[in-house]
Amino acid sequence: MTMLSLRWRPSLTYFPLTQFTSLQLQSQSLNLRSLPCPQSPICFPSNKLFPRPSSALPHISTSLCSFNGEVEPYLRCSMPHKHLRVAVLLSGGVDSSVALRLLHAAGHSCTAFYLKIWFQEDFENFWSECPWEDDLKYARDVCGQVEVPLEVVHLTDEYWKNVVSYIIEEYCCGRTPNPDVLCNTRIKFGAFMDAISSMGFDYVATGHYANVIHPYSDKMDEPSVLRISQDMVKDQTYFLSHLSQSQLKRLIFPLGCISKDEVRRLAAKFDLPNKDRKDSQGICFLGKIKFSEFVARHIGEREGIILEAETGDFLGKHRGFWFHTIGQRQGLRLPGGPWYVVEKDVKNNIVFVSRNYFSFDKRRRLFRVGSLKWLSGLPPHQTSQLQCKVRHGPGFYNCSLQWEGNEDDRKETAVVHLSDDDQGLAAGQYAAFYEGRTCLGSGVILESWDDQGFPVCTKALEIARMEDKSKLGNPVKIKGKSDSPQVYNPTDGTAKHHEAGRGSQVASATKQRSRTVERYAVSIFSFNWLQKFWQK
């Protein structure tokens, strides 16, 4: 078990009523008292992390929220047929608040936890704009409505070590990690879950849009199953796809059977203090800090050049390859676009761009995936008729897996074949695999594209290897994009335009299809959290 130091600050720990306080701060160490529960009180064992207090709180009876005919149909994913002791992770947002109220309405004994996961002194000037204090106030008010105790947990050290430092390391290697997946596996359902493992809670609940199907009590040896939520657009199984079976078995997601619109209606019905609050977006530990500012503070800046992949033309300069990701459009500041980042040379600090990122001769249906983890603990029996998500959102691809290595290997790496092209594959992101509505697991994307990457011409590669880039002089004057798409010639490493005489109708149709694909791909990219942080 991971031993943590959970630090409570008296000024930040709120309880709706003093008699419901279950924490007591003594010499900066945590002492827990038995939580009030009318039927089966929670008894916390004594250990070094949570020493038993010298006295216990008197037993207090609490009345359960009576079922309302309009609320009861929404309790299908809250296990209303049982009486459970549930630790609810409360963020201050609408989703987790409605999840808490549903669990309370189902008759469970709930304790809410607010995770304060990241604060760094270097960013103290930015935190005046961080909404975490508002989040905590909303969480306190939501708990106060139904007299549920709220406890504030500081996991800053754990979050820095297991999430933030990993993100920095991955960007330095030219990859694009996903902090949401890491936060779920390593913090919310990792460090936090380990810390409360001996506290008597039956389950941990959050406001995720996902559905966990647990086996019947007489078949507890069978695995729990993660399934897509009722709301396909809000479904968050992608972010939960890298959990282990032991983590999954301890989870409840009350919103798995409810759509986002219904959650908003329930928030109004419960008259929640945050019922009109907008959904949060972006990386949880940044608040309102721009991602580029975070990267600059922790990785720094190193000037490099931008080259056109097809011609090798010197187009401009950048602050460091780690500020850019494959498929990025915003932030390049190049005229005559749109331009897209198509490749990066990590060793030489080069960013390759192209205006033909969505042309049909750039097929992207094949990539390798590693660090595979299966929610059941075992790889799927059949691998030829699966579905795949390469980012959060409602879009799926039909796909197949081909294991690498011998049958005796642990099958931790595989080659993925997609049924259609995808222009947004980025090393470091996750690919989640499904069979019908069941999420099977996920792995980390290692390499993209069918060959070695987006085709980069010989001239561009030679310039990238130049030691003295000052010899390039000034960037070239960028001309407007030609109406006819460029075709890469692998023989001589050059890009040429189609001849006009090959049929204007074909060229016009190709151009129109390319624009349609571009609009579709850009709409998919709106689901990618990373795109929000490249805008200057």
Side-chain angles (χ1 to χ4, degrees):
M1 183 181 76
T2 303
M3 301 301 292
L4 306 179
S5 174
L6 304 186
R7 300 184 297 279
W8 268 254
R9 297 183 182 181
S11 61
L12 299 179
T13 303
Y14 301 95
F15 300 94
L17 296 175
T18 56
Q19 62 263 38
F20 281 90
T21 301
S22 60
L23 298 181
Q24 189 174 41
L25 195 67
Q26 296 180 356
S27 303
Q28 297 182 351
S29 64
L30 179 66
N31 289 319
L32 288 182
R33 297 183 174 187
S34 299
L35 296 177
C37 177
Q39 298 184 18
S40 54
I42 304 173
C43 297
F44 300 106
S46 176
N47 55 44
K48 294 181 179 180
L49 184 59
F50 301 104
R52 184 182 296 277
S54 57
S55 61
L57 279 176
H59 182 77
I60 302 173
S61 296
T62 59
S63 60
L64 298 175
C65 178
S66 59
F67 285 179
N68 186 294
E70 297 182 37
V71 175
E72 190 171 358
Y74 299 106
L75 302 179
R76 298 191 308 276
C77 288
S78 299
M79 298 187 180
H81 56 286
K82 298 181 178 181
H83 180 78
L84 304 170
R85 300 182 294 273
V86 184
V88 185
L89 287 175
L90 203 61
S91 67
V94 174
D95 294 336
S96 61
S97 299
V98 171
L100 172 66
R101 291 299 301 269
L102 290 174
L103 292 167
H104 185 270
H108 303 311
S109 177
C110 301
T111 300
F113 292 87
Y114 178 87
L115 301 185
K116 190 167 182 288
I117 56 176
W118 204 73
F119 180 90
Q120 194 172 1
E121 297 299 330
D122 290 345
F123 280 95
E124 59 184 357
N125 294 330
F126 293 101
W127 285 104
S128 60
E129 299 181 358
C130 182
W132 77 265
E133 289 182 332
D134 291 338
D135 292 340
L136 187 54
K137 180 183 182 299
Y138 279 118
R140 177 195 62 189
D141 293 342
V142 169
C143 290
Q145 286 185 322
V146 287
E147 298 181 348
V148 168
L150 172 66
E151 300 169 358
V152 179
V153 185
H154 291 252
L155 293 177
T156 58
D157 294 340
E158 290 74 23
Y159 197 83
W160 174 265
K161 177 181 178 181
N162 294 299
V163 178
V164 181
S165 61
Y166 177 83
I167 291 173
I168 294 173
E169 181 180 351
E170 286 291 280
Y171 271 100
C172 288
C173 295
R175 294 184 288 268
T176 307
N178 191 304
D180 297 301
V181 176
L182 294 170
C183 185
N184 285 329
T185 56
R186 301 183 179 189
I187 303 299
K188 292 179 181 177
F189 310 127
F192 172 74
M193 189 175 282
D194 289 343
I196 65 169
S197 61
S198 61
M199 294 186 185
F201 291 107
D202 297 307
Y203 290 96
V204 173
T206 67
H208 280 93
Y209 286 84
N211 193 1
V212 180
I213 307 299
H214 296 292
Y216 292 108
S217 57
D218 59 342
K219 298 181 180 179
M220 294 304 294
D221 292 338
E222 295 184 3
S224 297
V225 178
L226 179 64
R227 290 186 177 172
I228 296 172
S229 69
Q230 179 176 319
D231 194 320
M232 292 287 291
V233 175
K234 293 293 293 184
D235 177 71
Q236 293 174 301
T237 53
Y238 175 81
F239 298 129
L240 302 165
S241 61
H242 216 58
L243 297 176
S244 66
Q245 178 62 204
S246 60
Q247 291 172 316
L248 192 65
K249 274 189 173 296
R250 299 180 60 193
L251 298 179
I252 302 178
F253 299 126
L255 306 188
C257 305
I258 308 174
S259 69
K260 180 66 180 185
D261 291 340
E262 291 171 324
V263 168
R264 284 289 180 182
R265 286 195 289 269
L266 284 171
K269 181 174 182 58
F270 289 135
D271 194 25
L272 295 179
N274 54 4
K275 60 185 177 183
D276 297 321
R277 201 178 190 201
K278 294 181 180 180
D279 294 338
S280 61
Q281 295 180 336
I283 306 176
C284 48
F285 67 85
L286 287 181
K288 294 184 179 181
I289 302 173
K290 290 183 178 180
F291 187 74
S292 58
E293 293 174 349
F294 168 79
V295 172
R297 181 66 63 90
H298 289 282
I299 303 180
E301 299 183 10
R302 180 159 65 93
E303 187 177 82
I305 62 173
I306 301 174
L307 300 177
E308 184 174 16
E310 293 90 345
T311 64
D313 287 343
F314 170 36
L315 304 181
K317 297 181 179 180
H318 60 82
R319 297 188 296 158
F321 70 84
W322 46 85
F323 288 96
H324 303 279
T325 189
I326 302 299
Q328 173 188 338
R329 174 178 173 178
Q330 288 84 6
L332 292 173
R333 300 179 180 179
L334 297 175
W339 294 91
Y340 298 87
V341 176
V342 295
E343 274 293 343
K344 295 186 292 185
D345 184 335
V346 174
K347 180 180 179 181
N348 297 299
N349 192 29
I350 307 296
V351 172
F352 299 101
V353 299
S354 173
R355 290 182 288 196
N356 301 303
Y357 187 53
F358 296 103
S359 62
F360 281 90
D361 61 316
K362 310 297 190 301
R363 298 180 65 245
R364 299 171 179 87
R365 299 191 182 191
L366 186 71
F367 61 92
R368 293 178 65 245
V369 64
S371 301
L372 285 164
K373 184 182 289 185
W374 305 106
L375 289 162
S376 67
L378 297 172
H381 296 295
Q382 69 88 16
T383 59
S384 60
Q385 296 179 341
L386 301 178
Q387 293 79 45
C388 176
K389 280 188 179 185
V390 293
R391 64 184 59 84
H392 169 57
F396 288 85
Y397 292 111
N398 291 325
C399 75
S400 63
L401 291 179
Q402 181 179 347
W403 304 115
E404 290 191 328
N406 301 322
E407 294 183 358
D408 296 335
D409 294 341
R410 298 180 62 184
K411 295 183 177 180
E412 292 186 349
T413 60
V415 177
V416 182
H417 299 257
L418 300 180
S419 58
D420 296 289
D421 300 329
D422 186 276
Q423 281 77 20
L425 296 172
Q429 288 284 297
Y430 285 81
F433 302 98
Y434 298 78
E435 190 171 26
R437 297 187 66 87
T438 299
C439 181
L440 303 177
S442 65
V444 180
I445 296 174
L446 301 179
E447 293 108 14
S448 309
W449 328 135
D450 291 323
D451 298 318
Q452 296 180 352
F454 189 96
V456 178
C457 72
T458 302
K459 178 183 176 181
L461 295 175
E462 291 176 350
I463 294 175
R465 291 191 292 266
M466 289 176 54
E467 293 186 4
D468 186 4
K469 302 295 193 303
S470 63
K471 296 180 180 180
L472 294 174
N474 297 322
V476 301
K477 184 177 180 180
I478 300 176
K479 299 179 181 179
K481 185 177 180 181
S482 173
D483 288 341
S484 58
Q486 290 180 330
V487 177
Y488 177 71
N489 185 347
T491 303
D492 57 7
T494 60
K496 298 179 180 180
H497 291 281
H498 283 299
E499 295 179 5
R502 298 189 63 180
S504 59
Q505 292 182 347
V506 175
S508 177
T510 301
K511 180 181 178 182
Q512 182 63 35
R513 291 176 65 194
S514 184
R515 288 176 176 174
T516 301
V517 172
E518 179 175 335
R519 286 194 296 268
Y520 173 71
V522 170
S523 67
I524 290 179
F525 258 70
S526 64
F527 291 106
N528 191 334
W529 62 268
L530 190 59
Q531 292 296 100
K532 300 179 183 299
F533 301 102
W534 303 121
Q535 297 177 2
K536 302 296 180 181

